[in-house]
Amino acid sequence: MCDNKPDSIFGSLVFNEDVMRRRLSNTCYRAWKQCVEEGTPLRLETAHEMAAEMKNWAMDHGATHFTHWFQPMTGVTAEKHDSFIAPDGTGRVLMQFSGKELVRGEPDASSFPSGGLRATFEARGYTAWDPTAFAFIKDGSLCIPTIFCSYSGQALDKKTPLLRSLEELSRQAVRVLKLFGMDVGKVVSQVGPEQEYFLIDKDVYNRREDLILTGRTLFGAKPPKGQELEDHYFGTIKPRVAAFMRELDEELWKLGILAKTKHNEVAPGQHELAPIYADANTACDHNQLTMEVMKKVAARHNMVCLLHEKPFAGVNGSGKHNNWSLATDTGLNLFKPGSTPSQNARFLLFLAAFIKGVDEYQDLLRCSVANPGNDHRLGAQEAPPAIISIFLGDELTAIVNAIIQGTAYVDTCKKTLSIGVDSLPPIPQDTTDRNRTSPLAFTGNKFEFRMLGSSQSITGPNIALNTIMAEELSQFADALEGAEDFNGALHDLIRDTLRAHQRIIFNGNGYEDAWIQEAEKRGLSNLTCTVDALGTYLQPKHIELFSKHWVFTEEELAARNEIHLENYCEVIGIEARTMIDMVKRSIFPAVSRFSGATASGVAAKRAVLPDLDCGPEEELLRRLGALISRMMGACKALEDALAAPKGKDAYEAAHYFRYRVFAGMTALRSAVDELETITAAEDWPYPSYTDLLFSVR
Ligand code: ADP
Ligand code: MG
């Protein structure tokens, strides 16, 4: 037990700064540090020493292999393992790992989605070491975090653009801070992702073809008890789940992941884990690892961890809250209201930049959380609506309004606020007024972006947030750098910006229909599904934004759009085919048998007592007959929809899958779910929602 004390196991599988300081030569350690802090290139000799020490350290921890660990466009991580062995010429082996192998890899990567950026005949993609992320050991392999790009340098992964966006955000934020007399080296975005998930028993899972193939249930009648009693949220954790959570924490701690909070969530079988926030690059690696480790640890406890956004209809699905803030390398949080006039002016400028950016790039933020799974949640009164807005809370909104109107901002002192000259009234940290319906809530010193789906990589939303912020800060820096009267210019800029973009601020209930109408009046976007969202992805504004800040070229962006659209079609196609398979090979035979048995029962009873009342059975037979016809009709229609031509390009195909195939799936599901409620439990071929949701006891 003692062996697993958090402080003794924490980071034990990570080649972190502490290990480097102890194991590397002073020169090598300093060169690495300079590379990370100032972006200076590493010399090959340094890479050689680094590689040799990484290998020795990894072998001390039982590793035999190394892998470049990267994050292709599939949204999960990829790895290809090579052992350290090399022949020594005498029939024995040496253990080797060179600087070249550390720095660069060439996975034969022709099968990763590239959206047309890399033709299969020139299959090579390159992985390149990211020295800003620590290497670690997983399953006996030394994992080296890398970026993944094509022969000509185009990004084929999710990490490259994230790093580009971080660099640009820092550059622009440093420019702005200089205007306030602050000389900082770097600004980083800090991210704390809260991860929701479901746990179900593996034996029950194994009997659901839909869960195995698609990660969600495609059928399932509403159980008698769902989340109505709200007795699961923050409830006592069952021993089996507690054992899983304990082991999960330990595994994450070993990987240097600051797993901090764990609790039961709203739906039965649903839970959450939140780490302490880290810089965006680390947070992204760690979230990927967390999802992977959750699945592995669950398997050891004979459970399955479901990360799908909507495993079960009728109860809450799972999301991921992306808490995001900006901090200087001196540890100052730029979204924390300060106490002096200058600090508050700076805070308001960053706030104004954020508000402007979110308003101008609503569609982009919406696209960044678009995937087929999330379509089931957004706007379904369990997660934020599909409309982007910002919650500021009453105090901050009152200040914003006062600035816009130039009126007295505090009742007590009746004074107008001159930015850069006066202090703000205190803005309470993290008010008790936690509006859970807002997609983007200010929570005292950070923004909580609540629209992410539980299975998604957090890179997309963070690339969007970073780049948008970089753009607005660059505009502000341009406007203020030449100003003669800095405070006056600052005041006007903040006021004019807030005035122009106040429509994006909404503190009310985002679940109400009234908000949809109000948002429409304000001219806010309401992109209700992935396909509609992606329809806005390649608009000129987005292309300009990303190319101006070197985050994506137009070609890279178009490739990504293609990948997302294709992914949408694939996912819906797999779901539809799975439904058809389940209906034709299991559900139809089962209900047909059941209705046959019911009919035989009636005939047998009538043979004994011709005038026996068999009304209920006859009624059941009629309903079964009607529903079976409806089901098979819907099944045929779905098959026909899948067989028909889908359109001339990826967008048209996705549109077809959304409005024809998905609609057909919904019709099929409704007939099947109704059949489930009138078929004998023992004859239904799949575990019910009750069996699934309450499977972990
Ligand atoms: P809640 O569920 O009440 O929103 P949690 O404690 O579950 O809060 O999660 C909050 C997350 O926000 C944690 O990951 C936390 O580390 C993170 N966080 C706290 N401060 C910041 C910050 N300044 N920047 C980014 N993330 C932060
Ligand atoms: Mg939480």
Side-chain angles (χ1 to χ4, degrees):
M1 198 64 199
C2 262
D3 288 337
N4 281 346
K5 280 194 351 210
D7 52 349
S8 42
I9 60 172
F10 190 82
S12 56
L13 296 178
V14 186
F15 193 75
N16 56 26
E17 189 163 352
D18 178 49
V19 178
M20 286 189 226
R21 203 183 295 117
R22 283 187 284 112
R23 296 190 77 127
L24 299 175
S25 71
N26 221 346
T27 326
C28 181
Y29 168 72
R30 281 226 214 94
W32 167 79
K33 186 97 184 144
Q34 201 186 359
C35 161
V36 170
E37 284 174 357
E38 293 162 34
T40 45
L42 274 187
R43 297 153 58 97
L44 196 58
E45 304 91 86
T46 316
H48 276 316
E49 184 185 334
M50 185 70 111
E53 269 321 306
M54 272 187 186
K55 179 204 70 190
N56 293 340
W57 169 83
M59 285 175 53
D60 289 349
H61 288 78
T64 50
H65 288 66
F66 71 93
T67 176
H68 277 195
W69 184 76
F70 57 106
Q71 306 186 13
M73 291 303 295
T74 52
V76 290
T77 54
E79 45 199 69
K80 173 183 156 228
H81 304 258
D82 281 299
S83 69
F84 292 126
I85 64 165
D88 77 344
T90 72
R92 297 170 58 87
V93 289
L94 296 167
M95 300 304 262
Q96 277 182 351
F97 182 47
S98 70
K100 255 171 81 185
E101 287 170 308
L102 165 65
V103 170
R104 187 169 154 124
E106 270 181 47
D108 174 18
S110 50
S111 294
F112 290 109
S114 77
L117 279 186
R118 176 175 36 71
T120 320
F121 61 83
E122 44 173 40
R124 272 192 235 171
Y126 290 92
T127 50
W129 177 38
D130 166 18
T132 62
F134 295 135
F136 56 91
I137 294 172
K138 184 165 68 73
D139 302 328
S141 278
L142 170 69
C143 297
I144 298 143
T146 57
I147 59 163
F148 177 45
C149 51
S150 75
Y151 184 71
S152 50
Q154 286 152 320
L156 296 174
D157 67 349
K158 297 188 175 243
K159 198 58 170 301
T160 307
L162 178 70
L163 296 179
R164 291 175 183 163
S165 74
L166 285 166
E167 213 168 282
E168 182 62 2
L169 170 62
S170 178
R171 219 165 67 85
Q172 302 301 341
V174 165
R175 271 179 78 194
V176 167
L177 291 178
K178 218 171 237 127
L179 296 167
F180 287 89
M182 292 170 63
D183 195 14
V184 304
K186 205 167 149 184
V187 169
V188 285
S189 54
Q190 311 186 112
V191 175
E194 304 166 51
Q195 176 73 49
E196 291 181 338
Y197 60 96
F198 277 88
L199 284 178
I200 61 171
D201 185 85
K202 183 136 177 66
D203 299 335
V204 186
Y205 168 92
N206 279 338
R207 291 164 50 213
R208 290 286 311 211
E209 184 179 338
D210 45 4
L211 282 177
I212 293 171
L213 294 182
T214 72
R216 76 177 180 103
T217 54
L218 301 168
F219 300 114
K222 195 172 161 14
K225 178 181 190 275
Q227 62 193 46
E228 298 84 355
L229 298 180
E230 297 178 342
D231 51 353
H232 195 256
Y233 190 54
F234 283 10
T236 318
I237 298 168
K238 290 181 186 130
R240 197 170 157 199
V241 175
F244 158 85
M245 287 178 166
R246 194 175 319 121
E247 195 176 325
L248 174 63
D249 277 341
E250 286 168 8
E251 294 297 321
L252 295 177
W253 290 335
K254 286 184 207 164
L255 289 166
I257 298 172
L258 291 157
K260 175 81 174 167
T261 310
K262 50 187 182 187
H263 59 80
N264 286 353
E265 260 298 332
V266 173
Q270 193 186 28
H271 313 279
E272 180 186 299
L273 178 141
I276 295 174
Y277 66 92
D279 68 274
N281 188 17
T282 305
C284 166
D285 283 1
H286 284 181
N287 184 249
Q288 289 292 343
L289 281 172
T290 300
M291 293 194 284
E292 184 181 329
V293 175
M294 278 176 164
K295 294 195 164 192
K296 281 191 186 146
V297 174
R300 285 186 221 143
H301 292 254
N302 201 43
M303 295 190 287
V304 176
C305 172
L306 301 176
L307 290 171
H308 193 283
E309 284 76 16
K310 193 72 178 178
F312 308 102
V315 296
N316 277 13
S318 301
K320 182 138 61 186
H321 291 176
N322 189 83
N323 294 275
W324 180 89
S325 67
L326 295 181
T328 63
D329 53 359
T330 50
L332 179 77
N333 180 345
L334 296 168
F335 283 117
K336 191 171 153 59
S339 46
T340 67
S342 163
Q343 285 168 359
N344 281 323
R346 189 187 65 219
F347 164 74
L348 287 171
L349 189 71
F350 277 84
L351 180 72
F354 186 82
I355 290 171
K356 177 169 185 284
V358 172
D359 186 28
E360 286 175 346
Y361 295 99
Q362 297 164 45
D363 296 350
L364 186 62
L365 286 168
R366 173 65 186 89
C367 285
S368 78
V369 295
N371 83 357
N374 225 8
D375 281 358
H376 300 281
R377 299 174 61 242
L378 299 177
Q381 323 252 308
E382 60 168 271
I387 307 162
I388 304 273
S389 66
I390 300 175
F391 169 87
L392 287 186
D394 291 342
E395 292 84 2
L396 195 49
T397 304
I399 293 167
V400 165
N401 287 340
I403 294 170
I404 291 171
Q405 287 146 20
T407 53
Y409 66 96
V410 197
D411 284 345
T412 45
C413 61
K414 294 260 185 278
K415 182 170 169 302
T416 53
L417 175 73
S418 179
I419 293 165
V421 179
D422 295 320
S423 302
L424 289 182
I427 300 160
Q429 277 252 339
D430 211 0
T431 51
T432 47
D433 175 19
R434 300 296 298 275
N435 185 332
R436 297 248 157 221
T437 69
S438 174
L440 253 172
F442 180 68
T443 52
N445 60 3
K446 62 183 188 297
F447 284 94
E448 188 172 353
F449 189 18
R450 300 198 179 115
M451 290 174 91
L452 285 73
S454 48
S455 74
Q456 290 183 304
S457 158
I458 63 169
T459 47
N462 287 300
I463 291 167
L465 288 168
N466 294 341
T467 312
I468 290 169
M469 201 62 191
E471 167 61 19
E472 305 305 345
L473 291 175
S474 79
Q475 287 185 23
F476 284 6
D478 289 346
L480 294 172
E481 271 166 356
E484 276 173 22
D485 167 16
F486 177 68
N487 276 346
L490 185 65
H491 184 283
D492 292 352
L493 178 65
I494 291 174
R495 184 200 54 211
D496 296 348
T497 305
L498 294 175
R499 187 174 284 161
H501 298 284
Q502 59 179 316
R503 66 172 183 166
I504 199 76
I505 300 167
F506 176 63
N507 293 328
N509 183 352
Y511 289 179
E512 278 176 2
D513 282 342
W515 169 231
I516 298 179
Q517 281 129 40
E518 165 67 16
E520 199 180 334
K521 260 195 247 150
R522 295 189 189 186
L524 302 179
S525 287
N526 184 9
L527 300 164
T528 54
C529 66
T530 297
V531 179
D532 291 356
L534 290 177
T536 70
Y537 194 60
L538 289 183
Q539 57 181 288
K541 188 160 87 173
H542 296 168
I543 296 172
E544 269 159 43
L545 172 79
F546 282 126
S547 45
K548 174 175 167 191
H549 297 286
W550 302 290
V551 173
F552 292 118
T553 60
E554 180 170 356
E555 207 187 358
E556 287 172 326
L557 206 61
R560 255 146 236 261
N561 190 46
E562 193 84 3
I563 291 169
H564 295 315
L565 289 168
E566 275 169 10
N567 174 262
Y568 183 85
C569 299
E570 296 301 347
V571 169
I572 303 294
I574 292 167
E575 289 183 349
R577 291 194 296 276
T578 305
M579 287 180 103
I580 293 167
D581 189 60
M582 290 170 79
V583 165
K584 285 175 49 173
R585 298 198 312 123
S586 298
I587 297 172
F588 175 72
V591 289
S592 176
R593 260 194 315 272
F594 174 61
S595 68
T598 308
S600 309
V602 172
K605 287 189 212 178
R606 288 262 164 78
V608 180
L609 292 172
D611 57 350
L612 186 72
D613 176 17
C614 292
E617 286 94 332
E618 285 171 0
E619 173 57 27
L620 174 64
L621 268 175
R622 257 186 218 101
R623 278 191 70 200
L624 283 169
L627 282 169
I628 292 171
S629 299
R630 210 176 101 199
M631 170 176 81
M632 294 317 283
C635 188
K636 175 76 175 54
L638 188 55
E639 283 182 287
D640 291 346
L642 278 177
K646 316 284 188 309
K648 64 175 186 325
D649 58 25
Y651 179 75
E652 274 190 14
H655 198 270
Y656 181 90
F657 272 95
R658 169 69 183 88
Y659 292 99
R660 283 290 313 281
V661 178
F662 187 74
M665 288 162 57
T666 309
L668 178 55
R669 175 168 189 156
S670 116
V672 171
D673 287 359
E674 210 175 322
L675 267 172
E676 187 183 344
T677 65
I678 57 168
T679 301
E682 61 184 19
D683 288 322
W684 194 254
Y686 298 108
S688 69
Y689 264 31
T690 302
D691 300 333
L692 287 163
L693 286 166
F694 301 93
S695 63
V696 176
R697 282 191 278 269

